[in-house]
Structures are given as C-alpha cells and as structure tokens.
Amino acid sequence: MKNFSGSILIVDDESSILTTLEILFTNEGWAVDLASSVKDGRFLLEKGIYDIIVTDLRLNDGSGQEILEYAKALNKRAEVIVLTAYGTVKSAVDAMRLGAFDYMIKPIDSDKLLFTALKAIERKNLVTEVKTLKKEFLKKYDFHNIMGQSPRLLEALDIVNRIAETDVSALIEGENGTGKDLVARAIHNKSPRASGPFVAINCSGINENLLESELFGHVKGSFTGAIANRVGLFEEADGGTLFLDEVGSMPLSVQAKLLRVLQDKSIQRLGSNKVLKINTRLISASNRRLTDLVKSGEFREDLYYRLRVVEISLPSLRERAGDVLLLCNSFLEKFSMTMKKDIKGFSRDALNSLLRYPWPGNVRELENCVESAVALCRAGVIEIDDLPKSIINTEETLTNIVMHHPMTLEDLEKKYILETLKSTNWNQKKTAGILAIGRNTLWRKIKTYNIQLPALSSEISSV
Ligand SMILES: Nc1ncnc2c1ncn2[C@@H]1O[C@H](COP(=O)(O)OP(=O)(O)O)[C@@H](O)[C@H]1O
Ligand SMILES: [Mg+2]
C-alpha cells in the first residue's frame, strides 16, 4: 500500500516523457491522466478533478502557463508543478508568481519529481483541512452576533438560513445601521464559500471610472493613471462572496457593465481583451428602496431582478422596539467587559429614555450610545446624564433652526409635533393639550406626517 497518492494530470508534448511519467506515477499508486497539448489539457481540466498537475512550459500549441491559468480560473484546487528546459527558467519563475507550487528543470530526476508531488499533495491536503475546520467553526458560531427576537428580524434570519447553502444573489434592504453588513457576512459564513474570501465595496461616493476599475480591474496603460495592472474585486472574490454595499448609488454606466458581467459570468479587465471566468456569489445592500430607484430611472430594472433573486428586508429599530432592551443590555455587557468596568445596569430614568427614543440611526446609533455611556459612567449604574444629550433632549431652539436648518412650515409643524410628543413621553392627550388641538386632529397629523411612534407609546398615550 502506498501512503500518499492522488490524481495527477501530466501535460507534455514529448511522448517519451509522458510514457516515463505515466509509469512512474502509476507504479506509486497514482491515478494518471495524460495530455500532449494545451488543448487536450484544458479539455481534461474541465472534466477531471486533480490533486496535482505537472505541465511542460513549452508545448506545441501554446504554453504551460495557460494550463496553470486555466486551472486557477476554473478555481481548481490542484497544485501545479511546471517542467522547463534550462533555457526557460525565467518563465518558470513567472509561473511560480502565478501560483505554481514548484518548477523542475529538464531532464527530469524522477525521484525528485515524485518527492515534489508528494510535498504538493501534502500542502493541498493541509490547505483543505484548514478550510474545512474554519468552515465548521464558522457554522457553529453563525448567528451569535445578530441579536434580537422580534418576528420581523427572525423572519429575515430564517431567509438567511435558507439561502446560505445556495449560490443565489441576495439583496438586503434596510435603513442605515439595521445590520445589513452583519447579515451579508452571516450569509457568507454559513455558505459553502465560507473558507473563500469575503470582499466588500461601498458603491456610494466613488466616481464611475474608479468604481469600474475597482470592480473589474485594469491593465497597465488602459487609461491615464493606470500605472500598473490591477486585479479587480470580482477576481479577488473568486471562490467567495462579493458584497456590493449601497448598490443604489452605482452610476448607470457601471450598472450596464455589471449586468453584462452577470449575464456572461465572466469579466474583462479594463483595457484587456482576455476573458476571465468568474465564480463569485453576489450580495447587495441598499438603504434606499431599489424599486423606487427603478421607478425614477436611477436603477436598471433588469439589473434589479438579477440582484434581487432573494430579498431580505431588515426592520428598523422602531419596527422592532421590543428588541431595544435586549440590545442595550448586551452592548452594556460587551463594552463593560472591553473597558474593564463593573457596570450592573441602567438607572430607571436612563432606561426610560433609551426605550422612548426612536433610534433613527438604528442599532449602530444604539451601540454607539451605550459605548459612550459606558465610557462616561462613574458609578456602577448608567445614569441619565451618562447618555448623549441628543437622546434625552432633541429640542432645537428656533434661532438655531432658522440659522442652520431652514425648513418649510410643514416640516416645522411635523418637527414640532414630534418634539412635543417626545417631551410628553409620547402622551398624545398631553401633546394635544399643549398644541391646543383635538386628539383626532393630532392623530390625523401623526398619520399625514408619517410620524413614527415607539412601541411603548401606545401604552403610554392611553394613560
Ligand atoms: N441585530 C443586531 N445585533 C447586534 N448588533 C447589530 C445588529 N444589527 C446591527 N448591529 C451592529 O450595528 C452596527 C451597524 O450594523 P451594520 O451591519 O454595519 O449596518 P448597516 O450595514 O445596515 O448600516 C454594527 O456595529 C453591527 O455590529
Ligand atoms: Mg453598511
């Protein structure tokens, strides 16, 4: 019995070498396939699974580098050993740069080649083992960092669970700070691509040329300023996941290119006519509703359907106010631990403020708020004056408004009603009293202005 053996593809245009190597490896228990040209080699690569590829560099119909590149493009995990005549050592070194495991100079020393092949297979097994372990680890600890028990959030996480194993494109929609990043990473970590790369790009605030070369890469000299070749993020995310954040901000010209890439499942670096196959799962996120952007002509409808094979809509914190307490407590625990402070909890007043605040910045704002409170806290309990002023008191003086935030009368009315509601702890009877309007009128205005009431307000307002 041989301890180490695997499957091997040997590509060489000298039939005597093919025969020698075939006998050598078969005797050692390897499964051997032979190819005498780049064309045959590519054909076998497409169907076969190999641990090791041994390829001559100079072949009748091309170069062994093409075999190497093709194996990488197909995302084969095979280790490649290149054979070279002594005159072409430089190309062998280039091949190493492209990811070959090793090179050997002809005439081939069989023992050395066997030994190198065994080393290569050992490395390949090790890499696979590490990846499997990492995957197991990530599977176990999948959702521990996404907190919340409200039905809307659980519904979203259920979709995450159901699609993680697949390769479908997912679109995550939600306001800023609702956890879109977190969910995108969770999908990746639960997917079979977990051991591959997770590459994120924020599409807002980047001009179209830069965004394009970020995504697809470029070759040296393809435009002024392209001083070197650049690998695009699609290539970087090969075998893994590409996360397009704020995809709604993507300029229309880049949208057109992206659509083509998704249809062809291949990319071309800017300025290059070489077509590279891609194997990347796409997850997109947007804080604006893409259907609105489609209506206003800012987003291509055909691309929208490609990105939104499955849609995950993350609720704002107002829509899951029941989770606020849970989040406050877990962030308190987390930050007390990292700042090494012994803080037991929140005072009644502080907690009331936290529960009543509508959290326009969602979980991110809440997290930052608790972090700063923990930092400022002097005693063993977070007091109301440890909280940011903006949470306790959101009023602005009139002068301030006129000077810095000029607004329409309607906006001012909305704001004024909102502030009065907050100042009365969302008591609608009191608010109507202060504003000297009937409760029905107040209710109508709340509806018209789409003022969001925190969940607690229904109990409070009936008091
Ligand atoms: N459900 C959640 N549980 C715990 N932390 C969360 C949750 N949602 C968001 N966060 C935290 O809030 C912050 C903002 O989340 P992020 O995913 O960046 O939001 P978005 O991408 O939607 O703006 C991050 O620090 C994240 O860890
Ligand atoms: Mg984000």
Side-chain angles (χ1 to χ4, degrees):
M1 276 303 275
K2 305 285 186 296
N3 282 334
F4 286 104
S5 60
S7 55
I8 187 165
L9 171 66
I10 304 169
V11 191
D12 202 307
D13 49 7
E14 267 179 69
S15 59
S16 60
I17 291 194
L18 282 183
T19 318
T20 317
L21 295 186
E22 182 182 19
I23 294 168
L24 175 74
F25 280 96
T26 313
N27 280 344
E28 292 293 321
W30 290 67
V32 183
D33 271 345
L34 303 175
S36 58
S37 63
V38 173
K39 185 165 159 271
D40 289 356
R42 287 168 70 120
F43 177 73
L44 287 173
L45 267 181
E46 278 165 21
K47 330 183 292 184
I49 298 173
Y50 301 104
D51 296 311
I52 307 294
I53 299 165
V54 172
T55 178
D56 188 15
L57 264 188
R58 201 175 289 167
L59 295 158
N60 280 334
D61 62 340
S63 142
Q65 266 199 18
E66 290 171 56
I67 298 283
L68 172 64
E69 284 178 19
Y70 199 57
K72 299 277 167 203
L74 290 171
N75 201 28
K76 300 273 168 161
R77 306 274 178 220
E79 296 289 353
V80 179
I81 299 166
V82 299
L83 307 179
T84 178
Y86 62 91
T88 53
V89 170
K90 191 189 161 296
S91 1
V93 174
D94 287 345
M96 296 287 291
R97 245 182 240 124
L98 286 172
F101 177 76
D102 206 350
Y103 68 92
M104 306 199 93
I105 298 171
K106 287 181 174 179
I108 303 300
D109 173 338
S110 333
D111 283 346
K112 216 169 136 197
L113 179 58
L114 259 182
F115 181 69
T116 309
L118 292 183
K119 264 200 320 197
I121 208 167
E122 243 179 345
R123 179 170 89 169
K124 181 179 169 273
N125 289 341
L126 210 63
V127 169
T128 315
E129 194 178 339
V130 169
K131 282 184 176 158
T132 318
L133 282 175
K134 191 173 158 200
K135 211 160 102 185
E136 293 286 302
F137 178 83
L138 291 170
K139 266 224 176 94
K140 229 178 194 166
Y141 296 95
D142 38 19
F143 284 158
H144 76 291
N145 55 351
I146 305 184
M147 289 175 294
Q149 289 164 352
S150 77
R152 285 275 319 268
L153 183 75
L154 295 181
E155 206 177 289
L157 295 184
D158 180 48
I159 299 179
V160 170
N161 254 329
R162 282 171 14 213
I163 64 162
E165 290 285 329
T166 72
D167 250 351
V168 298
S169 304
L171 172 66
I172 309 168
E173 285 191 338
E175 291 177 14
N176 285 335
T178 47
K180 297 187 293 296
D181 264 73
L182 217 53
V183 165
R185 279 169 211 276
I187 297 176
H188 172 77
N189 288 343
K190 293 206 82 181
S191 77
R193 297 168 173 273
S195 54
F198 177 88
V199 177
I201 177 168
N202 189 326
C203 304
S204 77
I206 305 187
N207 83 40
E208 54 191 279
N209 294 333
L210 190 58
L211 182 57
E212 210 181 304
S213 86
E214 284 278 332
L215 285 173
F216 311 119
H218 62 244
V219 294
K220 188 173 162 181
S222 54
F223 54 88
T224 12
I227 48 169
N229 288 347
R230 196 202 150 95
V231 173
L233 297 181
F234 261 104
E235 279 175 77
E236 233 173 76
D238 195 59
T241 305
L242 180 61
F243 176 44
L244 300 175
D245 203 358
E246 298 313 343
V247 75
S249 307
M250 183 179 280
L252 281 164
S253 64
V254 186
Q255 290 179 29
K257 289 238 164 71
L258 177 61
L259 182 69
R260 207 170 322 130
V261 164
L262 298 182
Q263 277 162 353
D264 299 349
K265 294 198 169 47
S266 62
I267 56 162
Q268 276 171 285
R269 291 188 192 165
L270 245 73
S272 156
N273 46 23
K274 201 151 101 197
V275 177
L276 304 165
K277 280 261 161 250
I278 50 165
N279 166 20
T280 306
R281 195 229 190 117
L282 211 61
I283 300 179
S284 333
S286 176
N287 61 0
R288 297 191 283 169
R289 289 197 58 83
L290 282 194
T291 41
D292 292 344
L293 298 180
V294 167
K295 263 185 224 135
S296 64
E298 289 165 81
F299 206 84
R300 292 180 69 110
E301 190 172 17
D302 40 14
L303 180 60
Y304 167 70
Y305 286 115
R306 284 249 167 203
L307 299 182
R308 192 228 61 169
V309 177
V310 169
E311 186 177 335
I312 299 170
S313 155
L314 291 181
S316 69
L317 203 46
R318 291 182 302 285
E319 295 165 280
R320 55 180 191 112
D323 285 340
V324 169
L325 184 59
L326 174 87
L327 288 165
C328 285
N329 282 328
S330 18
F331 287 130
L332 178 70
E333 197 177 314
K334 169 174 144 191
F335 291 119
S336 321
M337 203 141 81
T338 51
M339 294 185 216
K340 299 197 172 61
K341 284 185 148 187
D342 183 20
I343 302 174
K344 301 207 168 30
F346 300 90
S347 77
R348 226 189 133 86
D349 284 351
L351 202 55
N352 275 334
S353 303
L354 291 167
L355 291 175
R356 288 197 174 105
Y357 184 66
W359 301 110
N362 297 297
V363 187
R364 180 177 292 116
E365 188 184 13
L366 187 146
E367 186 175 5
N368 292 341
C369 163
V370 175
E371 183 175 14
S372 88
V374 170
L376 293 174
C377 180
R378 275 160 304 197
V381 171
I382 306 251
E383 298 290 347
I384 194 152
D385 52 314
D386 296 329
L387 298 177
K389 295 282 166 293
S390 53
I391 282 170
I392 312 163
N393 178 7
T394 42
E395 274 175 54
E396 284 174 279
T397 66
L398 276 180
T399 337
N400 209 350
I401 292 174
V402 177
M403 296 280 293
H404 302 294
H405 312 283
M407 60 178 82
T408 62
L409 261 184
E410 235 178 36
D411 283 345
L412 184 65
E413 184 175 71
K414 173 179 175 181
K415 219 171 161 56
Y416 190 62
I417 294 173
L418 179 65
E419 293 309 321
T420 314
L421 278 165
K422 280 190 205 162
S423 75
T424 61
N425 286 338
W426 305 94
N427 185 318
Q428 291 172 25
K429 194 169 159 197
K430 275 192 197 159
T431 302
I434 294 172
L435 301 177
I437 53 176
R439 281 186 70 178
N440 284 339
T441 313
L442 175 64
W443 185 239
R444 228 178 22 248
K445 284 184 189 288
I446 288 176
K447 283 271 161 244
T448 319
Y449 290 138
N450 194 17
I451 292 174
Q452 305 283 345
L453 306 171
L456 273 179
S457 68
S458 49
E459 295 138 46
I460 297 165
S461 63
S462 54
V463 174

